[in-house]
Amino acid sequence: MVNSMTGYASLGGQGAGYRWTWDMRGVNAKGQDLRMRVPDWISGLEPAVRAALGKAVGRGNVSLTLRVTRETDSNDARLDPEALNTALSAIEQIESAASARGVSLAPVRASDILMLRGVQDSTGGAEDTAPLLAALLADLPTLIASFNAMRATEGAALAGVLAGQLQQIETHAAQAGAEAEARKDRWAEALRDNLARVLDNADGADPDRVAQELALITVKADVTEELDRLGAHIAAASDLLAQDGPIGRKLDFLMQEFNREANTLCSKAQSTGLTRIGLDLKAIIDQMREQVQNVE
């Protein structure tokens, strides 16, 4: 099963006197890159979330944001004025420094400020956040399942595209084999003519040495090994597409090998037909490699 690295999920919940909203997004990356914005006043939340995401996501750039607000009327909300002023002053300094350097920042929302330690609770973090932590972590599997479900859906569509491209590569490889086989007779005849021409126009030439040189040229133009390796790569890629778990890195490596064989095929072509097939192979391999960048 192929998983895409692109996905999105959101989830809202409430409990332990709070309301919250999860937001999770994933895009392409060479490795696993987890970025989180969660309230730092909830003890133990970030390491627990990071551990859960690390197990659920093999590869990709994943951003997770959690916004938590207390279930109280605005008049009853407990804010620490000193912590709030400190936060606002820090935001002003950051915005001023960014403006001086011509850097544009996204507007800061009140919910972002409330996520900072001590701003929302005058107790300065003394409140027992264990019930809230338990409620949040109970929501996390549902969020991750929704996120991975979207990635799996996108991955299924991506697998269909990759399978189609792999089939095209296999078709081109078969055409190259047929063209190479048909070329043998023409090539052998051309070599015999060349050998006769050389012997007729070169006094004292060693016929055995000339024959050896022409045979060496024949070996260098033989594409049997390239086509055999292409067949092996096609079988390996097909097996990978049927596997579960992260396969993107292995597929990316295979695409490099596909491209290597296509380049060698073109360099050895020695015929218009084989050159055309080699160029067609390179084109579809490049297209497939672009799609592979989306695979987890």
Side-chain angles (χ1 to χ4, degrees):
M1 180 180 67
V2 174
N3 278 336
S4 170
M5 284 187 281
T6 303
Y8 171 77
S10 63
L11 182 67
Q14 62 183 89
Y18 290 86
R19 292 181 180 273
W20 57 81
T21 302
W22 297 93
D23 186 280
M24 189 171 175
R25 304 169 186 268
V27 295
N28 301 351
K30 291 184 177 180
Q32 185 192 75
D33 185 10
L34 307 179
R35 304 181 182 184
M36 293 184 293
R37 294 182 62 194
V38 299
D40 60 1
W41 50 269
I42 305 176
S43 179
L45 177 61
E46 181 171 342
V49 172
R50 186 173 293 277
L53 291 185
K55 293 179 180 178
V57 177
R59 185 172 174 234
N61 184 325
V62 178
S63 300
L64 182 143
T65 301
L66 171 65
R67 294 183 175 86
V68 180
T69 56
R70 191 183 293 274
E71 280 191 311
T72 57
D73 295 333
S74 59
N75 293 332
D76 297 328
R78 291 184 294 172
L79 298 176
D80 185 330
E82 183 177 350
L84 178 60
N85 287 331
T86 299
L88 292 175
S89 296
I91 291 172
E92 289 178 352
Q93 293 177 20
I94 293 172
E95 290 179 338
S96 177
S99 177
R101 290 169 174 77
V103 177
S104 178
L105 301 178
V108 179
R109 292 181 292 187
S111 58
D112 296 329
I113 299 174
L114 290 174
M115 290 170 62
L116 300 176
R117 181 182 295 276
V119 170
Q120 193 174 186
D121 190 358
S122 61
T123 62
E127 177 186 5
D128 181 14
T129 59
L132 175 59
L133 174 64
L136 290 170
L137 295 183
D139 256 4
L140 192 57
T142 302
L143 176 74
I144 292 175
S146 177
F147 177 74
N148 280 336
M150 180 175 180
R151 298 209 309 165
T153 299
E154 297 230 356
L158 183 57
V161 173
L162 293 174
Q165 292 171 330
L166 193 61
Q167 180 61 51
Q168 292 183 57
I169 292 175
E170 187 173 13
T171 299
H172 289 319
Q175 291 173 347
E179 176 65 22
E181 188 65 27
R183 188 190 63 171
K184 285 183 179 180
D185 291 339
R186 299 195 302 269
W187 188 257
E189 184 179 352
L191 285 177
R192 286 193 296 269
D193 291 343
N194 289 335
L195 175 58
R197 189 177 300 110
V198 169
L199 293 177
D200 289 342
N201 294 278
D203 293 337
D206 183 353
D208 292 336
R209 180 59 186 273
V210 173
Q212 289 175 3
E213 293 296 330
L214 291 176
L216 181 60
I217 294 174
T218 302
V219 170
K220 288 183 177 180
D222 186 17
V223 296
T224 302
E225 291 186 6
E226 286 70 28
L227 294 177
D228 287 344
R229 284 193 291 266
L230 268 176
H233 298 334
I234 290 169
S238 182
D239 289 342
L240 280 176
L241 291 177
Q243 292 180 12
D244 292 331
I247 60 172
R249 289 181 181 276
K250 294 180 180 179
L251 277 176
D252 190 43
F253 172 77
L254 273 178
M255 298 318 300
Q256 297 177 42
E257 297 304 304
F258 272 120
N259 196 54
R260 190 192 316 277
E261 303 307 334
N263 284 333
T264 307
L265 183 66
C266 287
S267 67
K268 288 185 172 184
Q270 300 293 326
S271 75
T272 302
L274 204 51
T275 298
R276 176 184 54 77
I277 294 171
L279 293 175
D280 288 343
L281 261 174
K282 285 176 59 66
I284 191 61
I285 288 169
D286 286 342
Q287 293 171 15
M288 187 173 177
R289 188 173 185 179
E290 289 182 5
Q291 294 294 339
V292 165
Q293 304 309 308
N294 298 316
V295 177
E296 182 185 14

